[in-house]
Amino acid sequence: MTLFTEKGRLALVTVWNEREKTGQNPGWGSCSLGVFICLACSGIHRNIPAISKVKSLSLSHWEDHEVQFMAGNGNELMRRKYEAAVPVYYYKPNHKDGQTLREQWIRAKYERKEFSEPGKSFIYEEGTKDGMLMKKGRDNVQFLSRRFVLSEREGTLKYFTKFDAKEPKAVIKVDTINATFQPEKIGNPNGLQITYLKDYSTRNIFIYHDNGKEIVDWFNTIRAVQLHYLKVAFPGASDAELVPKLTRNFLKEGYMEKTGPRHTEGFKKRWFTLDQRRLMYFKDPLDAFAKGEVFLGNRDHGYSASPGLPAGTHCNGAWQHGITIETPDRGFLFTCESENEQKDWLKHFNEVISAVMSPQEYTSKKPNV
């Protein structure tokens, strides 16, 4: 079967040129929006049939007028139309992000047309957000409904054990917050991990909402409040300098085995999170507090990461692929389940250790424990 008529072939050249510009060589297109999309996003577009009609570029039959429409539009032109006024704090998901973030980004652009009109107000900039979220208990796996209140004026995120409670259970300063989607870890597609500092220690809380739009609204409102706070704290800084200081994904997470400071203790399985220069380890992925942290400075200051364990190390754990991290304070020994995991952890460690440290990173350094 011929998928394109002769009339459409000339226009198809333009289509393919536009397709190559996207960089990811997507195999699908929305012939009603005039954009090329990847396989994962094609499924989301199909769930919004009122605005998006999806076809395969290699398997579907395309009418001449559909090819002409694609050729006359394309990703760059539609991006200028539908992303004309995206706030600088709004998180634009990429192909590595989960379903909830990508779906709400697509719906915000094409269904709600939130960013098509410059000058319009956004719900993320109202200065406060108040609502109920499901929160995991600190010492158990049960999720319970809790009231959360985010205040731009106070620069805080508070949560209450009851809706009408007068005193908050916790008051979190927005400048210490990191928020990252963790659907697999939390076991919910809308799961969000909030990490913050409490008494100079890292604390985690895990939340979700049954409605994907609601949890993404919380996420982007947190980012909007953080940007406001940073602009007040650093009045001379540009948006380009401040936006990277908002919420961020962890560089890597996963299990390794770890021994103690004398290197004679048994290796124990721990969950590790690499957040910029902080390598935190937990007994369980959903623990509220880290059991310890390793600060990874620059290699010029005595930090290094290498494969293997020191000669004579008694490795009594189940895993044999070792990693040695040296710091000015002490050495740390880890083992990984596979060689691929060992190489991936080492790649991230060495990228961090090779990077130049910022003044803020010097001041945030804590002793390794």
Side-chain angles (χ1 to χ4, degrees), residues 47-73:
N47 290 330
I48 321 175
I51 63 167
S52 191
K53 180 181 179 182
V54 177
K55 285 190 172 185
S56 166
L57 296 185
S58 58
L59 301 176
S60 300
H61 176 76
W62 289 71
E63 301 293 342
D64 286 337
H65 69 89
E66 293 172 333
V67 176
Q68 294 285 354
F69 182 75
M70 296 294 287
N73 291 285

Side-chain angles (χ1 to χ4, degrees), residues 41-308:
C41 289
S42 71
I44 298 172
H45 278 257
R46 283 197 188 89
N47 290 330
I48 321 175
I51 63 167
S52 191
K53 180 181 179 182
V54 177
K55 285 190 172 185
S56 166
L57 296 185
S58 58
L59 301 176
S60 300
H61 176 76
W62 289 71
E63 301 293 342
D64 286 337
H65 69 89
E66 293 172 333
V67 176
Q68 294 285 354
F69 182 75
M70 296 294 287
N73 291 285
N75 291 51
E76 187 57 38
L77 184 63
M78 292 300 97
R79 188 176 293 114
R80 292 199 295 269
K81 175 181 178 180
Y82 289 104
E83 299 181 30
V86 181
V88 294
Y89 57 78
Y90 194 99
Y91 182 80
K92 295 183 182 181
N94 57 48
H95 67 283
K96 295 181 180 180
D97 288 306
Q99 176 85 359
T100 296
L101 270 174
R102 286 186 287 112
E103 178 177 350
Q104 292 308 314
W105 167 241
I106 289 170
R107 289 186 179 276
K109 278 203 304 182
Y110 300 122
E111 186 178 49
R112 301 193 294 270
K113 296 183 175 64
E114 289 187 20
F115 316 120
S116 299
E117 300 176 21
K120 69 177 292 186
S121 58
F122 296 98
I123 59 172
Y124 322 104
E125 299 173 7
E126 295 177 351
T128 185
K129 188 168 178 61
D130 188 330
M132 305 299 290
L133 297 169
M134 298 300 292
K135 175 189 173 293
K136 177 188 171 295
R138 189 183 74 175
D139 300 317
N140 57 64
V141 298
Q142 187 176 14
F143 280 81
L144 298 171
S145 182
R146 296 289 183 256
R147 181 189 178 197
F148 283 76
V149 178
L150 178 66
S151 171
E152 179 181 275
R153 182 178 60 84
E154 297 179 6
T156 60
L157 174 66
K158 302 175 183 178
Y159 75 86
F160 302 79
T161 54
K162 296 181 180 180
F163 181 82
D164 57 354
K166 294 183 179 180
E167 295 297 325
K169 180 69 172 178
V171 179
I172 306 167
K173 295 182 178 180
V174 295
D175 61 318
T176 71
I177 288 178
N178 182 35
T180 179
F181 277 85
Q182 297 279 9
E184 293 183 3
K185 183 192 291 187
I186 295 175
N188 186 286
N190 303 330
L192 189 68
Q193 179 175 342
I194 303 289
T195 302
Y196 63 98
L197 292 178
K198 179 180 180 180
D199 300 327
Y200 302 101
S201 295
T202 301
R203 169 78 195 275
N204 295 319
I205 59 174
F206 303 92
I207 59 176
Y208 72 85
H209 195 282
D210 289 332
N211 184 284
K213 180 181 182 301
E214 181 66 14
I215 198 68
V216 174
D217 285 353
W218 271 100
F219 177 66
N220 281 301
T221 303
I222 288 171
R223 289 173 60 88
V225 170
Q226 285 181 321
L227 183 61
H228 173 82
Y229 178 91
L230 288 171
K231 285 188 172 183
V232 173
F234 306 99
S238 66
D239 287 342
E241 293 172 312
L242 296 180
V243 168
K245 300 180 183 295
L246 305 183
T247 62
R248 61 196 176 273
N249 292 327
F250 299 132
L251 298 178
K252 183 173 173 63
E253 286 194 291
Y255 283 107
M256 290 191 291
E257 291 184 333
K258 174 187 178 296
T259 188
R262 293 189 298 274
H263 300 173
T264 57
E265 303 88 340
F267 279 78
K268 295 180 180 179
K269 187 177 178 181
R270 296 288 182 254
W271 177 265
F272 286 81
T273 297
L274 180 59
D275 183 13
Q276 296 182 319
R277 292 191 179 275
R278 291 183 304 132
L279 177 64
M280 298 169 283
Y281 49 96
F282 307 82
K283 186 176 181 180
D284 183 87
L286 296 181
D287 281 350
F289 295 96
K291 294 184 71 67
E293 297 186 12
V294 182
F295 181 85
L296 300 179
N298 185 270
R299 65 175 68 257
D300 292 338
H301 301 145
Y303 293 86
S304 66
S306 57

